Amino acid sequence: MKLYWTRVQDKLERLRANKLFETFVIFVIIASALLIGAKTYEETSRFDIIMRWLDLGITLFFLFEIFIRLAAEKRTLDFFKKGWNIFDFVIVTASLIPINDSEMVLIARLLRIFRVLRLVSMIPELRMLLGALLKSIPRMGYVALLMFIIFYIYAAIGSFLFESVDEKLWGNISVAMLTLFQVATFESWATAVLYPTMEQYPYSWIFFLTFIFLNAFIFLNMMIGIVLDVMQKENTAAQLESGEGEAAEIHWMREHIESMAEQLNRIETQLNTAETASNKGKQP
């Protein structure tokens, strides 16, 4: 029985690692996302029954896929040692909430939206990007803190200098920070903020240009540089890990070949011994 289950696990492992199967899973995830988007249109209400059956089929397929991945593990607990496996398991389990229940329909639909995030767990490149983004957050936090300090200083100066220009834009420091955020994002900042201010303060452009130079150019590029640096390190680590995996596989194959060679030598020695004994027995 144990030998039979081992064979089944090997077949499931090959199925899980099969590229066609992975591609089909990605296709089903995309279909699930499109199905969720289609439900937001009133025109699709006439296909409500069909869409429910499609949703049920997608949910059952996800259960089947999770079962394959669980069963393919030599030890079931090893499946839950990886964060992405836990994420997939939670998403698929949460999708079992019935969508027809009027009290749970909103929660069920929201949870089904998160099935789109399974694309991240299925595609290694997306996992690397998300991992790099999460690891860069602490370093980006210091840049964001410095940006907040600059925002606060410029907002205080702007509220003191330009309150008479437009109280809705510079009435207090909080409103001034929102105005500066509009300036930093270049959202109609020249016509709505700069030009009215320059009518009373001709040299106010210095205030705005220095602010844009600091925030939009320096700090933003610093954040991009942090993400790129972390991504490069993650890519290097992934290449090293892949190289170590290939080296370990080659080492295992070499040991396996050496073991087989030793067994063949033993068999050959036993055959030679048996042949020698047989020849001695035939002598008169």
Side-chain angles (χ1 to χ4, degrees):
M1 184 66 182
K2 186 176 181 180
L3 180 61
Y4 174 76
W5 178 244
T6 303
R7 292 178 180 176
V8 172
Q9 282 186 320
D10 292 338
K11 292 181 179 179
L12 293 176
E13 175 65 27
R14 288 194 294 269
L15 177 61
R16 181 181 65 175
N18 188 282
K19 294 298 181 183
L20 290 176
F21 181 73
E22 290 182 355
T23 304
F24 184 73
V25 173
I26 293 173
F27 171 77
V28 174
I29 294 172
I30 295 174
S32 174
L34 294 176
L35 183 63
I36 294 171
K39 289 181 180 179
T40 61
Y41 293 92
E42 295 182 359
E43 293 81 359
T44 59
S45 58
R46 52 184 175 176
F47 304 109
D48 189 51
I49 298 177
I50 298 175
M51 297 177 74
R52 287 182 183 179
W53 280 105
L54 286 174
D55 182 78
L56 178 62
I58 290 172
T59 302
L60 292 177
F61 176 80
F62 284 152
L63 280 174
F64 172 72
E65 187 253 343
I66 284 291
F67 171 77
I68 290 176
R69 291 167 59 184
L70 273 168
E73 294 288 344
K74 302 301 180 183
R75 295 175 55 193
T76 305
L77 292 178
D78 291 342
F79 177 84
F80 297 99
K81 290 182 179 180
K82 297 180 180 179
W84 287 113
N85 290 341
I86 297 175
F87 174 80
D88 288 343
F89 184 82
V90 171
I91 292 297
V92 173
T93 305
S95 298
L96 298 177
I97 297 177
I99 203 168
N100 296 329
D101 191 349
S102 59
E103 296 181 357
M104 302 291 291
V105 63
L106 179 59
I107 297 177
R109 287 179 177 175
L110 290 175
L111 291 173
R112 278 163 172 75
I113 293 173
F114 287 101
R115 292 195 301 201
V116 183
L117 290 176
R118 293 202 60 206
L119 280 174
V120 180
S121 65
M122 293 299 300
I123 303 176
E125 288 77 10
L126 292 182
R127 290 202 302 267
M128 186 184 70
L129 287 174
L130 185 59
L133 178 61
L134 293 176
K135 289 184 178 180
S136 61
I137 286 176
R139 294 166 62 182
M140 291 172 62
Y142 293 108
V143 179
L145 178 60
L146 185 57
M147 287 180 64
F148 175 79
I149 293 173
I150 299 299
F151 261 82
Y152 192 86
I153 293 173
Y154 271 81
I157 295 173
S159 62
F160 292 149
L161 295 178
F162 309 135
E163 183 180 5
S164 59
V165 177
D166 192 339
E167 189 174 353
K168 293 181 179 179
L169 297 178
W170 308 100
N172 53 59
I173 195 167
S174 60
V175 173
M177 290 183 71
L178 290 175
T179 303
L180 290 176
F181 184 79
Q182 178 184 353
V183 173
T185 56
F186 302 107
E187 179 60 32
S188 304
W189 72 278
T191 56
V193 181
L194 176 63
Y195 295 151
T197 307
M198 287 184 62
E199 290 179 359
Q200 295 189 26
Y201 300 93
Y203 294 102
S204 60
W205 59 269
I206 299 175
F207 172 87
F208 293 103
L209 291 185
T210 54
F211 174 79
I212 291 174
F213 180 78
L214 287 173
N215 287 277
F217 296 148
I218 296 179
F219 293 140
L220 182 60
N221 287 325
M222 286 175 65
M223 286 194 172
I224 295 174
I226 290 172
V227 175
L228 290 177
D229 180 58
V230 175
M231 284 181 59
Q232 184 177 4
K233 291 180 179 178
E234 287 290 307
N235 189 27
T236 304
Q239 291 178 354
L240 291 175
E241 185 178 353
S242 176
E244 291 175 358
E246 292 177 357
E249 185 176 356
I250 294 172
H251 181 69
W252 178 84
M253 292 178 63
R254 185 178 298 169
E255 289 183 348
H256 189 63
I257 293 172
E258 290 177 355
S259 176
M260 291 178 64
E262 290 178 0
Q263 291 179 4
L264 289 173
N265 289 332
R266 290 175 185 173
I267 294 172
E268 185 179 0
T269 302
Q270 291 176 357
L271 290 174
N272 291 333
T273 303
E275 184 179 358
T276 302
S278 177
N279 292 333
K280 288 182 178 180
K282 292 179 179 179
Q283 292 178 359

